[in-house]
Amino acid sequence: MQENDRSSSEKIANELRAQILAGQRLPGSRILQENIAEEFGASRLPVRDALRRLQVDGLVTIVANTGAWVSKLTKSECEDAYQIRERLEPLLMRQSVERMPEQTISELSKLLDQMEASDDVETFLRLDRDFHLLAYSFAPKGMIKDLVDRLWNTTQHYRRAFVKLSGVQAGSVTHLEHRLILDSIVRKDLDDMEQNLAAHIRRTRNSLVAHPEIFD
């Protein structure tokens, strides 16, 4: 691939990633290569490469000789994804917190302050994602971290649905759960931290599967 095509592919992938994570392209919606190529003034080659990148990220599903769609989960698949997250993310956070500098703990606290100060769903989703992924960021690179990143991408739409169901008002259970997680990080009580994080993810899963209409 030419350098210009690689640059174009990265630009297209970044823009499509932002659109999908922001809910501007809904799960199951088709992504037409010719439309994307026209929108970005690019050839089909960088568009195809961008879609392959997003498939690796868990954001796009490509069907050979058919096309590409924004990844969509059934209720059963979403439940499976959350059960995997419930088991892997506490381990990932433990690995990260063992290496985490004090400055990062302060940054996590600031993110929670910002989260609690806003009642906007999209602001909450962005800060919530920043909080969790920062908390995992000092874990060693490898299969666990890659899988967690992919699952966060694939379940983004369903976390948005959960937030709309539960609300983001000050004093909500979600905010209290985040504070419990941060408190256990501050105290370096890794067992308590794992339990708090697992319970946090489990409650989201239970809320989602109780609303099958989300997956229609």
Side-chain angles (χ1 to χ4, degrees):
M1 183 182 290
Q2 299 285 335
E3 184 62 34
N4 286 345
D5 284 340
R6 278 194 292 269
S7 176
S8 182
S9 172
E10 184 175 357
K11 178 181 178 182
I12 294 168
N14 288 340
E15 179 60 28
L16 289 176
R17 181 183 294 107
Q19 291 176 6
I20 294 169
L21 292 177
Q24 295 168 8
R25 292 180 181 269
L26 297 179
S29 60
R30 188 164 188 180
I31 302 174
L32 296 173
Q33 291 188 29
E34 56 270 26
N35 290 356
I36 300 300
E38 182 178 352
E39 178 182 345
F40 286 91
S43 67
R44 295 286 187 91
L45 181 60
V47 173
R48 285 196 296 270
D49 185 68
L51 292 176
R52 283 193 291 267
R53 295 185 190 205
L54 296 176
Q55 183 178 40
V56 172
D57 289 345
L59 291 168
V60 166
T61 299
I62 299 174
V63 180
N65 302 317
T66 305
W69 287 263
V70 177
S71 295
K72 181 178 182 179
L73 299 178
T74 64
K75 183 167 77 72
S76 177
E77 289 169 340
C78 188
E79 187 169 16
D80 285 348
Y82 269 89
Q83 286 179 330
I84 294 169
R85 286 183 54 194
E86 184 181 326
R87 286 155 179 80
L88 287 186
E89 289 184 38
L91 172 59
L92 190 66
M93 187 176 280
R94 174 183 283 268
Q95 293 175 344
S96 179
V97 170
E98 288 172 342
R99 300 165 175 81
M100 183 180 290
E102 289 298 319
Q103 180 182 348
T104 301
I105 297 176
S106 297
E107 292 172 11
L108 290 171
S109 181
K110 289 176 183 176
L111 285 171
L112 292 191
D113 290 341
Q114 293 171 40
M115 211 182 300
E116 292 167 358
S118 174
D119 59 2
D120 177 70
V121 168
E122 293 305 319
T123 300
F124 173 88
L125 286 169
R126 175 177 56 80
L127 294 171
D128 177 60
R129 185 183 181 92
D130 289 347
F131 173 81
H132 283 274
L133 298 188
L134 177 59
Y136 304 150
S137 63
F138 293 91
K141 292 182 179 179
M143 187 180 295
I144 296 175
K145 197 168 188 299
D146 290 346
L147 181 54
V148 167
D149 285 346
R150 180 182 174 90
L151 289 173
W152 263 78
N153 287 335
T154 306
T155 58
Q156 172 83 356
H157 170 77
Y158 306 96
R159 288 189 303 108
R160 178 176 288 105
F162 166 75
V163 171
K164 289 180 178 178
L165 283 171
S166 61
V168 294
Q169 66 276 12
S172 69
V173 174
T174 300
H175 290 314
L176 294 174
E177 288 172 343
H178 282 150
R179 287 294 175 184
L180 286 173
I181 293 167
L182 180 62
D183 177 66
S184 57
I185 291 174
V186 170
R187 292 185 289 105
K188 295 294 192 293
D189 188 338
L190 302 186
D191 291 338
D192 191 42
M193 179 197 70
E194 286 196 23
Q195 292 173 10
N196 288 332
L197 179 57
H200 176 59
I201 298 170
R202 187 181 311 122
R203 187 175 68 86
T204 304
R205 170 171 59 84
N206 289 337
S207 295
L208 286 172
V209 299
H211 292 272
E213 69 276 7
I214 290 170
F215 305 92
D216 293 340

